[in-house]
Amino acid sequence: MHRSKMTMVLLGLFGCMLLFGLAGGSSAADSAAGQAVPVPGSQQTASADGGHGVAGGQITEKDVAALVAEVEGMERDKQELDNRLSVETSRYESARLQMEESKKNIRAELDEVLQNSSSRSRLDAMFGRYDELLREEGQLSDALLVTQQELAERQLKLAQKRRDLERLQTRYASQQREEALRRVQKVAQQLERNLHFRETISFKCPASKSLGSCLSEYPLEARIQTWIEEHYQQVLSKELEDVVGPVSLSSDWYTTRVTRDFTEASMSLQGTVTADVDVRAHVRPRKMMACALLAASAELCEAQSISLIVRSNKYGDQVLVNKKPYGSTPLSLMLDPGVYNIEVRYQGLTQKRTLTLDENRHINFVF
């Protein structure tokens, strides 16, 4: 009897020790699952062009497409990691539930052993199973930590690459606009023309009328406008072939100032009038004509021809022009002539310049 009581006491002490072990066995895994994972080596590296070697050079559509493809590839990789993390989290939570269930079963079995002095073989098997679950939970926790860290690193790299793409697309759009504006200006410079040509008209007029009356009644002005359009189109098609291609004009795109004279005129007995017309015309394009020829935005024809390009040696800076934010460098703007206050801010530092914009300018800021 004395020996049986001693056995029960020892079992009680042994059970308490095991229960304390069970209660604290998964604290590290709980911490790993519930806390944010620090990411070593996550310092960002500034890259203004996404690694495509176009900083300061001409950007091509191929450069933008390559960076878009790179970002899309990184997004797919991140999605795969998200899916893997979801699966591993489910497995880890399932293992935790099994461990909790195992602890409940061990407590119940331990109470049974202490109260009834039953065999410990079943309890030993339960402890063995719990050890297996504890190892499995540890392995799943480690795998979960690795995936969380990898995902955090991928998210940082993807955010950086997206910023690179945004900057590249902004620079490309600015570059395209500048190129389009240059084309518009090049075409606009060649549109105002002085035309001089001669044409011959021939028409029937009643023989009872005089030659002067017949010529005065003839709708010559309409014919002259048609001739001007034909000659003007011919000249522009030849000189703008490389920029515009075949030219097709509308009379709404320009105005004309015309002088004309009959150089020779005659009338047959049958009433046929023949006359040579000398035409001098000054053709003045409307403001939107160059944009219409190039199928470009009408806004480009309203823009002034003064360009301001702002650059700095820092990534992530901010440019303000007359206190208005315009984004990061490199920045290309088309502005009206005038005085401008330029500010570039970077990590609490500010550099300022005041300039009079009366010609194309390119300024650099160095921090």
Side-chain angles (χ1 to χ4, degrees):
M1 184 70 177
H2 178 71
R3 185 176 180 182
S4 174
K5 289 182 178 180
M6 286 295 294
T7 301
M8 292 181 66
V9 171
L10 290 173
L11 283 171
L13 291 173
F14 181 64
C16 289
M17 291 173 65
L18 288 173
L19 286 174
F20 278 121
L22 292 175
S26 60
S27 60
D30 293 341
S31 176
Q35 296 180 0
V37 181
V39 182
S42 61
Q43 184 177 1
Q44 297 181 14
T45 302
S47 171
D49 57 12
H52 287 267
V54 292
Q58 286 292 101
I59 304 167
T60 66
E61 188 175 356
K62 185 177 180 181
D63 293 324
V64 178
L67 194 52
V68 168
E70 189 174 350
V71 169
E72 291 174 347
M74 293 178 71
E75 288 173 341
R76 288 192 296 270
D77 291 343
K78 177 187 171 295
Q79 185 60 52
E80 290 178 2
L81 276 176
D82 282 334
N83 295 338
R84 193 174 92 190
L85 181 64
S86 178
V87 172
E88 290 179 355
T89 300
S90 297
R91 291 176 179 172
Y92 174 76
E93 293 299 331
S94 177
R96 292 292 308 280
L97 290 174
Q98 291 183 57
M99 285 179 62
E100 291 298 323
E101 185 66 25
S102 178
K103 284 194 285 187
K104 290 179 183 179
N105 292 338
I106 288 174
R107 290 190 185 100
E109 185 63 24
L110 184 59
D111 289 342
E112 184 70 23
V113 170
L114 293 175
Q115 292 174 10
N116 301 324
S117 301
S118 58
S119 170
R120 286 184 47 201
S121 59
R122 180 183 171 95
L123 184 61
D124 290 340
M126 288 183 176
F127 277 120
R129 173 57 180 160
Y130 181 82
D131 287 340
E132 292 177 3
L133 291 174
L134 186 61
R135 286 192 296 272
E136 182 181 351
E137 186 267 353
Q139 293 171 353
L140 291 173
S141 176
D142 291 343
L144 191 58
L145 280 170
V146 170
T147 302
Q148 286 174 330
Q149 178 173 319
E150 187 177 351
L151 181 59
E153 292 173 347
R154 290 287 180 87
Q155 287 172 329
L156 284 175
K157 292 179 180 178
L158 178 57
Q160 176 70 61
K161 195 63 66 175
R162 282 172 174 164
R163 285 193 293 271
D164 291 340
L165 176 59
E166 182 180 352
R167 285 170 62 86
L168 191 68
Q169 288 174 326
T170 299
R171 287 179 55 199
Y172 181 65
S174 176
Q175 176 185 295
Q176 292 294 98
R177 185 181 183 279
E178 288 181 15
E179 291 176 355
L181 184 56
R182 281 194 292 270
R183 288 196 300 271
V184 166
Q185 292 171 348
K186 181 178 179 180
V187 170
Q189 291 170 359
Q190 302 181 64
L191 296 181
E192 190 165 355
R193 295 282 173 160
N194 288 310
L195 303 177
H196 181 204
F197 56 87
R198 289 186 179 183
E199 294 286 346
T200 299
I201 58 173
S202 180
F203 60 94
K204 283 283 190 179
C205 187
S208 59
K209 291 186 176 182
S210 67
L211 176 60
S213 297
C214 292
L215 290 175
S216 64
E217 293 175 359
Y218 182 78
L220 184 60
E221 300 307 320
R223 291 291 304 274
I224 287 177
Q225 291 303 319
T226 300
W227 295 335
I228 289 174
E229 184 170 321
E230 291 173 352
H231 284 272
Y232 190 35
Q233 182 165 302
Q234 183 178 6
V235 170
L236 294 184
S237 294
K238 181 178 179 180
E239 297 191 6
L240 299 179
E241 182 179 4
D242 294 338
V243 182
V244 178
V247 172
S248 179
L249 295 179
S250 168
S251 58
D252 296 331
W253 296 354
Y254 57 88
T255 60
T256 58
R257 187 172 68 249
V258 182
T259 60
R260 48 84 171 177
D261 293 300
F262 291 107
T263 57
E264 292 184 14
S266 63
M267 183 176 182
S268 69
L269 294 176
Q270 291 77 27
T272 300
V273 177
T274 303
D276 292 336
V277 185
D278 183 85
V279 179
R280 295 179 184 270
H282 177 75
V283 182
R284 185 174 183 179
R286 299 185 189 278
K287 186 177 286 188
M288 46 70 65
M289 181 174 177
C291 291
L293 284 170
L294 290 165
S297 170
E299 177 267 338
L300 294 175
C301 288
E302 300 292 336
Q304 297 293 324
S305 59
I306 299 180
S307 168
L308 173 65
I309 298 175
V310 183
R311 297 184 183 274
S312 88
N313 63 330
K314 295 298 182 182
Y315 176 81
D317 55 12
Q318 289 295 315
V319 180
L320 290 88
V321 179
N322 290 347
K323 303 297 184 181
K324 181 179 179 181
Y326 278 87
S328 301
T329 60
L331 181 67
S332 177
L333 300 173
M334 299 303 301
L335 300 173
D336 293 334
V339 178
Y340 292 89
N341 295 313
I342 314 298
E343 295 181 41
V344 177
R345 299 175 181 176
Y346 177 74
Q347 294 186 354
L349 302 175
T350 301
Q351 291 195 24
K352 300 181 180 180
R353 294 187 195 176
T354 300
L355 58 88
T356 299
L357 197 61
D358 52 9
E359 61 180 358
N360 293 342
R361 296 289 298 273
H362 183 175
I363 58 175
N364 290 302
F365 290 81
V366 178
F367 288 88

